[in-house]
Amino acid sequence: TETVDMFAALKDTPQAVILGAPGSGKSTLARYLAYAFALGRGQEITGMAGDMLPIIVPLGRFAADRKNKGAAYCFTDYLQDSFRGPGRDAPASFFDHYLDRGDCLVCFDGLDEVSELGQRADVAGIVQTFVHDHPRNRYLVTSRLAGYQGFTLEEQEFPHLTLCDYDDEQ
């Protein structure tokens, strides 16, 4: 293993798993990336090429919704449900349009937060299938190290990066 700058590691990696200890900044990194791209400054701030629609999927919430709504409930259903609200209705094809074009940065946050072990394995498989179905986008999956054991995504497809402790400047 070697220590590298996270943005340098992500720059040319279309998908990655970000692992770390509790409180190490996994979700903060996902939110920071989403914020940078939402501002239209993603390439400037991170070095990742292109304008992308940032999407964060909290996997614990997705799994709970899927448990209540049934096995046919998918990520695009979750995104559409999450986006609905007063003055926020989007066409049903909104997310599919951007995902099909390959214009998204999708952050699947907190695989370890899927509480039931069988459900966690199921969600990991759904992530893998979703990435295969929409291969032109960029993907991050975050998880605590302990909650990731036994539910690994293919390391050849998803390089695994572990967050180090931040220094004062970072």
Side-chain angles (χ1 to χ4, degrees), residues 111-163:
L111 182 58
D112 59 295
E113 293 174 18
V114 178
S115 57
E116 297 176 21
L117 296 180
Q119 193 177 27
R120 192 178 308 160
D122 186 40
V123 169
I126 293 169
V127 167
Q128 188 103 29
T129 299
F130 188 84
V131 171
H132 288 175
D133 289 347
H134 304 282
R136 295 174 26 198
N137 299 283
R138 295 179 78 89
Y139 296 95
L140 294 180
V141 179
T142 69
S143 182
R144 292 179 179 173
L145 286 162
Y148 190 68
Q149 305 303 320
F151 303 99
T152 59
L153 297 166
E154 292 293 324
E155 199 160 347
Q156 290 177 322
E157 261 186 280
F158 290 85
H160 290 51
L161 306 169
T162 303
L163 287 176

Side-chain angles (χ1 to χ4, degrees), residues 8-109:
L10 293 175
K11 182 179 176 187
D12 299 316
T13 304
Q15 57 239 14
V17 174
I18 308 294
L19 300 168
S24 63
K26 302 171 297 297
S27 295
T28 300
L29 174 64
R31 289 183 190 120
Y32 180 75
L33 290 170
Y35 181 69
F37 281 98
L39 291 176
R41 297 183 57 213
Q43 186 169 2
E44 171 192 339
I45 292 172
T46 68
M48 291 184 201
D51 290 329
M52 292 182 275
L53 174 67
I55 299 172
I56 296 180
V57 179
L59 291 174
R61 271 191 245 151
F62 166 75
D65 286 358
R66 187 167 190 269
K67 185 175 182 179
N68 292 330
K69 295 182 181 194
Y73 191 72
C74 65
F75 288 128
T76 52
D77 295 333
Y78 177 83
L79 294 173
Q80 198 68 34
D81 288 350
S82 297
F83 192 75
R84 282 192 188 106
R88 292 189 309 178
D89 286 336
S93 62
F94 176 82
F95 291 103
D96 288 328
H97 170 76
Y98 287 96
L99 288 163
D100 290 343
R101 286 179 35 177
D103 290 338
C104 298
L105 167 65
V106 183
C107 301
F108 293 110
D109 191 30

